[in-house]
């Protein structure tokens, strides 16, 4: 077979095995994705690590701009500011989706209670095990989160930075699937195998560092493709995640960045460009290693 033909076939196969085709329908900032529980989650959220100095102001500005999901964790030190912003803003609490996390050394139930106390909320929407523990896969943590869910302290529970094997082991030990796996995700660092696994099991991937923490925004292939669409590299990265069915969590302190990152609903990346972006994959991670691959 001619080289070009072989390549075209391979690209088609890659595109066809993903959710990409399913998400070709019109997306909007208010679009949601359905979790295994039947609850719905916004398709884009604001990351808040490193937002600690002006958290309340930044989050209030993001809520006003149209963000409906905020991602946090006790160790980001942003929970108090997020609580302040929710109180100050005009958006109703039940329209705002709050994600928080517990650490592998925590008592999951107590840590959830402390997170809620810091946020000054009676429930979160999603609580995640931030990282898989060094030993085991967190079945005790999971039981604590299940208790928190039973007591309506959170609507859903999930994991973060888990590999496929760790999720399978957790499911084997607990009999329950996580609603979400939050992992680092960009064209430069992702896993088609994880995408297929999560899709097959109705686990939603939330993508952290979707902008590579700004470190790969000057990549030549990315900048030239973004220019063709009349969009910025950051917008192209966010839209790429959205079209794969991955929920991006871009962090932005600056109002202009927040606005820009939400302004991704007036264009669509063509299928061939989606695949080209996937071929940038080098398992890149802003922290050195992509732990789930
Ligand atoms: N589960 C986990 O283990 C885990 C780990 C890390 C992060 N997270 C979550 O994921 C979120 C996002 O990840 P991240 O904060 O590491 O990285 P990121 O979202 O990839 O990048 C954030 C950086 O990009 C800049 N930026 C934002 N919008 C931009 C734009 N339009 N153009 C140019 N630069 C732009 C931000 O600047 P400004 O802030 O100055 O606007 C900031 O310096 C975190 O905030 C956190 O909520 C989860």
């Amino acid at each position: 077979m001619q080289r070009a033909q072989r390549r075209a076939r391979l690209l088609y196969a890659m595109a066809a095995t993903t959710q990409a085709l399913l998400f070709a329908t019109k997306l909007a900032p208010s679009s949601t994705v359905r979790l295994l529980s039947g609850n719905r989650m916004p398709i884009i959220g604001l990351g808040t690590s490193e937002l600690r100095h002006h958290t309340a102001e930044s989050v209030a500005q993001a809520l006003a701009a149209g963000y409906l999901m905020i991602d946090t964790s006790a160790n980001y030190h942003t929970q108090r500011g997020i609580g302040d912003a929710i109180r100050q803003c005009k958006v109703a609490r039940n329209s705002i989706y709050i994600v928080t996390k517990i650490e592998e050394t925590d008592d999951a139930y107590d840590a959830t209670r402390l997170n809620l106390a810091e946020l000054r909320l009676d429930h979160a929407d999603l609580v995640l095990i931030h990282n898989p523990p060094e030993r085991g896969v967190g079945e005790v943590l999971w039981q604590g989160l299940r208790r928190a869910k039973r007591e309506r302290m959170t609507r859903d529970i999930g994991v973060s930075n888990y590999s496929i094997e760790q999720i399978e082991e957790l499911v084997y030990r607990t009999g329950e699937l996580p609603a979400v796996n939050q992992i680092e995700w960009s064209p430069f660092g992702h896993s088609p195998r994880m995408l297929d696994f999560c899709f097959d099991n109705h686990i939603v991937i939330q993508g952290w560092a979707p902008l590579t923490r700004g470190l790969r925004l000057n990549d030549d292939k990315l900048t030239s493709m973004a220019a063709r669409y009349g969009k910025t590299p950051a917008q192209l990265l966010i839209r790429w995640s959205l079209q794969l069915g991955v929920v991006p969590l871009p962090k932005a302190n600056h109002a202009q960045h927040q606005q820009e990152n939400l302004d991704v609903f007036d264009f669509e990346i063509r299928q061939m460009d989606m695949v080209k972006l996937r071929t940038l994959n080098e398992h890149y991670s802003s922290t050195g290693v992509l732990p789930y691959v």
Side-chain angles (χ1 to χ4, degrees):
M1 201 190 303
Q2 293 291 318
R3 207 164 156 239
Q5 250 180 320
R6 270 208 315 271
R7 186 170 158 73
R9 274 203 179 179
L10 178 70
L11 294 181
Y12 178 77
M14 281 171 74
T17 55
T18 72
Q19 296 112 305
L21 301 175
L22 293 175
F23 281 83
T25 49
K26 265 241 166 297
L27 298 174
S30 58
S31 297
T32 55
V33 58
R34 189 175 173 278
L35 303 179
L36 201 55
S37 61
N39 295 327
R40 302 199 74 92
M41 183 174 82
I43 57 164
I44 184 167
L46 180 78
T48 68
S49 69
E50 309 291 326
L51 204 67
R52 59 189 72 131
H53 297 308
H54 307 285
T55 309
E57 201 179 35
S58 258
V59 173
Q61 155 195 291
L63 291 169
Y67 284 85
L68 295 172
M69 174 160 60
I70 310 293
D71 178 69
T72 186
S73 172
N75 62 7
Y76 298 172
H77 306 289
T78 54
Q79 297 193 126
R80 280 190 192 289
I82 292 169
D84 290 341
I86 292 172
R87 261 164 194 72
Q88 285 159 23
C89 79
K90 294 198 173 86
V91 186
R93 163 66 186 102
N94 61 9
S95 301
I96 305 170
Y97 195 98
I98 299 292
V99 187
T100 188
K101 311 182 189 85
I102 55 103
E103 301 307 313
E104 57 269 35
T105 49
D106 284 340
D107 172 309
Y109 177 83
D110 283 347
T112 303
R113 213 166 29 78
L114 290 173
N115 283 344
L116 294 178
E118 266 196 357
L119 286 158
R120 280 163 295 135
L121 295 177
D122 63 359
H123 73 281
D125 295 280
L126 178 65
V127 181
L128 307 176
I129 300 175
H130 205 156
N131 287 291
E134 270 178 32
R135 288 193 187 175
V137 287
E139 50 272 45
V140 175
L141 295 169
W142 191 259
Q143 296 313 334
L145 290 188
R146 279 183 74 170
R147 181 178 165 207
K149 187 177 163 195
R150 269 198 314 275
E151 296 183 20
R152 297 175 193 273
M153 290 156 66
T154 180
R155 298 170 74 219
D156 278 292
I157 56 180
V159 296
S160 174
N161 299 311
Y162 271 54
S163 65
I164 292 175
E165 292 69 26
Q166 286 165 328
I167 294 175
E168 285 176 335
E169 187 66 21
L170 183 70
V171 174
Y172 174 72
R173 290 179 181 277
T174 64
E176 230 181 327
L177 280 159
V180 163
N181 189 19
Q182 187 182 112
I183 49 182
E184 184 166 4
W185 193 270
S186 77
F188 302 99
H190 64 277
S191 156
R193 196 172 149 250
M194 176 67 85
L195 190 67
D196 289 343
F197 171 81
C198 286
F199 183 63
D200 289 346
N201 289 288
H202 209 112
I203 297 168
V204 173
I205 296 178
Q206 286 186 331
W208 65 259
L211 306 178
T212 67
R213 296 190 168 158
L215 297 172
R216 302 297 296 267
L217 293 180
N218 291 327
D219 177 271
D220 288 345
K221 289 186 178 140
L222 180 67
T223 52
S224 62
M225 192 188 290
R228 269 202 282 119
Y229 283 95
K231 288 288 178 178
T232 66
Q235 289 171 323
L236 199 68
L237 293 182
I238 292 169
R239 182 75 203 189
W240 176 80
S241 278
L242 290 170
Q243 284 183 221
L244 280 183
V246 171
V247 172
L249 301 170
K251 175 259 174 183
N253 216 352
H254 292 97
Q256 189 200 329
H257 283 163
Q258 289 180 359
Q259 196 61 60
E260 181 179 319
N261 298 345
L262 213 51
D263 183 17
V264 292
F265 296 97
D266 60 350
F267 78 113
E268 190 163 344
I269 303 174
R270 283 185 290 277
Q271 205 47 243
M272 287 305 280
D273 287 336
M274 287 295 291
V275 176
K276 274 189 199 158
L277 287 168
R278 286 181 73 162
T279 60
L280 296 179
N281 194 6
E282 55 190 56
H283 295 162
Y284 170 83
S285 166
S286 57
T287 60
V289 265
L290 212 51
Y292 61 84
V293 173

